[in-house]
Amino acid sequence: MRASSVIPHLLLLVLVATLAAAKTVVDLTDTKRFEASVGRDRPALVEFFAPWCGHCKKLEPKFAAAAAAFAHQPGKVLIAKVDADKNKDLGRKYDIKGYPTLLFFPANSDNFEVYKGPRETDAMVQFINEKTGATGKLTGDGSGSPPQAKEAAKPVTVDAVQLTSGNFDRIVMQEDKDVLVEFYAPWCGHCKNLAPVYNAVAKVYENDDTVVIAQMDADEGANRPIAQRYDVKSFPTIKFFPKGSNKQAQDYDGGRTETNFIQWINSKCGLYRVAGGALSDLAGRLPSLDSLASRFYSTEAETDRSKIVEDARAFLAQAKVGTNSSAEKNAAADYYIRIMDKLVEDKKYVEKETARLKKIMGKHLDGTSLLEGKKVDSIKKRMNVLSAFVKRQLSDRVPGGAAEVPRDEL
């Protein structure tokens, strides 16, 4: 047998062995793993989910408990999940239109059916038993798994970028990236306490291409010279490397809560994230154009509006050649002008467009749409700018006055 044909067989054997030993939900987001597992030698119940979906989060412990109910029959039934927001091809293949969607696949078959029963552990276990002849067993509390087992089985996802001596300079020294680095040691109690917070912060900024939240095991032998380079003497030590051609490490001097980190990073990077990863009402807005937007919306005099649009276009032209120019600011300024042009054609445009965008966001939030994180950000920014036409200026709205208003210096 040729080596090229042996390798796939070996990979399949490893996969089968891994799945057979698993007592919890198996992640089959990877297409190759999915195709090697589903519709094969055993039936499968697969949850198609999205990480941001509230209903999916509520189902997670119940679905894990259902998987644990079959732990005494390894290899009998496969209980799996697919992140359909990450692997959209699989989502489209099985016509997933809302989250979570549960599909049952018989053994050795390409057919499947949608599970329409209650999203409760006992109901899912009963459904699997009836379909497969398995004998899933629930514990006394009906959860399918004792609390300790569920806690131990919960997967740990690391969202922070992992740095090593081999990739540190390539990632951290990128001129167009702001990079926050935690130097930690696996045995450090303070590092362990910080881990869930730091991981949550990394998740908050996952859609921001100009920000990297990273960490390095500074106690690992090959990484120690880098830790010494930046005078790391205790754990955790956190350093900030601002974007630019001559990067110099700065000490992180903020607090250790998720909110503390977010406020500090926002102030350093000019961003407007909030806990959980959403954008605040300030994102995408420019104070100088907020003033013009409010004036434009409040007057219907053609001469006044023409002058306001002229001022807005002059601002945009100057912004494009200013020292603080950026593609994002230019796009934001252009959107203000586009709204003004639309209002000339339809004085109800702001209300109509706001209602349209809210409807799209509503479908996203209730799990019936498939919006990527960056698309959600784009809609939120547009809604924020639309609101500038009908609300007071930011400097009148933000606690603390103009000092907390987004900066749009040229």
Side-chain angles (χ1 to χ4, degrees):
M1 183 179 291
R2 292 180 302 173
S4 59
S5 62
V6 171
I7 292 175
H9 286 288
L10 291 176
L11 290 176
L12 181 58
L13 288 174
V14 172
L15 174 62
V16 171
T18 301
L19 298 181
K23 295 184 178 181
T24 55
V25 181
V26 179
D27 190 340
L28 297 180
T29 300
D30 180 81
T31 300
K32 291 182 179 179
R33 284 175 60 87
F34 183 95
E35 293 177 346
S37 308
V38 176
R40 301 293 179 175
D41 61 341
R42 57 177 167 165
L45 183 66
V46 182
E47 176 201 3
F48 289 79
F49 74 100
W52 44 259
C53 167
H55 296 301
C56 301
K57 293 176 182 178
K58 291 180 181 178
L59 178 64
E60 182 179 6
K62 299 176 183 178
F63 197 61
F70 297 91
H72 67 291
Q73 293 183 303
K76 184 75 173 180
V77 179
L78 172 63
I79 311 297
K81 63 181 180 179
V82 171
D83 182 347
D85 194 39
K86 182 176 182 180
N87 189 337
K88 290 182 169 55
D89 289 337
L90 276 179
R92 282 190 287 267
K93 179 177 180 179
Y94 294 102
D95 198 28
I96 305 301
K97 298 185 181 299
Y99 300 124
T101 292
L102 293 141
L103 300 183
F104 175 77
F105 297 81
N108 302 310
S109 173
D110 293 328
N111 297 324
F112 64 90
E113 68 174 278
V114 180
Y115 171 76
K116 298 181 179 179
R119 294 172 180 173
E120 300 295 336
T121 300
D122 56 352
M124 290 185 285
V125 171
Q126 181 179 351
F127 172 85
I128 296 170
N129 286 342
E130 293 174 353
K131 287 288 184 180
T132 67
T135 55
K137 296 180 180 179
L138 297 175
T139 56
D141 64 358
S143 68
S145 178
Q148 299 91 332
K150 285 194 292 184
E151 184 66 27
K154 189 173 181 180
V156 177
T157 302
V158 178
D159 292 294
V161 174
Q162 300 303 298
L163 300 175
T164 67
S165 58
N167 67 12
F168 185 93
D169 288 339
R170 175 170 54 83
I171 293 175
V172 176
M173 295 303 163
Q174 295 179 87
E175 295 182 8
D176 60 343
K177 308 289 187 186
D178 288 313
V179 186
L180 189 70
V181 179
E182 175 204 7
F183 295 90
Y184 73 95
W187 47 260
C188 166
H190 294 302
C191 301
K192 293 177 181 178
N193 291 336
L194 181 63
V197 174
Y198 199 76
N199 197 55
V201 172
K203 191 72 175 175
V204 166
Y205 292 95
E206 66 178 353
N207 290 323
D208 291 294
D209 293 335
T210 61
V211 176
V212 177
I213 308 300
Q215 58 187 173
M216 168 180 268
D217 178 356
D219 195 45
E220 201 278 323
N223 298 336
R224 288 178 183 173
I226 294 178
Q228 292 170 359
R229 183 199 307 175
Y230 294 105
D231 197 31
V232 175
K233 296 180 179 178
S234 61
F235 303 119
T237 291
I238 304 172
K239 301 279 186 177
F240 179 66
F241 298 79
K243 65 180 63 170
S245 59
N246 184 27
K247 285 203 166 186
Q248 298 294 325
Q250 301 176 7
D251 291 332
Y252 171 79
D253 56 3
R256 297 292 174 91
T257 69
E258 182 180 353
T259 299
N260 291 151
F261 275 106
I262 293 171
Q263 290 176 343
W264 196 93
I265 295 169
N266 283 347
S267 67
K268 290 287 185 178
C269 305
L271 299 174
Y272 303 97
R273 293 289 173 188
V274 297
L279 289 172
S280 76
D281 292 342
L282 307 182
R285 293 177 60 174
L286 303 172
S288 296
L289 290 182
D290 272 358
S291 175
L292 295 177
S294 179
R295 285 166 50 200
F296 186 93
Y297 191 80
S298 63
T299 182
E300 294 186 2
E302 185 175 346
T303 54
D304 291 341
R305 284 191 161 187
S306 296
K307 179 61 169 62
I308 293 171
V309 172
E310 181 182 334
D311 290 343
R313 293 188 189 282
F315 175 90
L316 178 57
Q318 188 178 1
K320 288 182 177 180
V321 298
T323 56
N324 290 326
S325 176
S326 70
E328 185 174 0
K329 286 183 179 180
N330 294 342
D334 186 65
Y335 188 54
Y336 279 86
I337 297 172
R338 192 156 71 249
I339 294 173
M340 293 178 188
D341 290 338
K342 291 288 186 180
L343 280 170
V344 173
E345 301 171 4
D346 180 1
K347 65 180 180 180
K348 293 293 185 180
Y349 174 76
V350 169
E351 290 85 350
K352 292 178 180 178
E353 181 66 0
T354 299
R356 185 184 75 85
L357 295 176
K358 282 184 177 179
K359 184 176 180 180
I360 294 174
M361 286 292 282
K363 290 182 178 180
H364 168 71
L365 293 173
D366 66 20
T368 59
S369 64
L370 297 173
L371 295 180
E372 294 181 345
K374 290 184 179 180
K375 181 65 174 178
V376 173
D377 286 351
S378 175
I379 292 175
K380 174 61 175 176
K381 289 177 181 179
R382 280 184 279 168
M383 291 177 66
N384 287 348
V385 175
L386 286 164
S387 71
F389 281 78
V390 295
K391 294 182 178 180
R392 291 173 295 162
Q393 295 182 35
L394 283 177
S395 57
D396 296 329
R397 294 180 55 242
V398 181
E404 298 183 37
V405 174
R407 295 167 291 178
D408 59 358
E409 299 92 338
L410 300 177

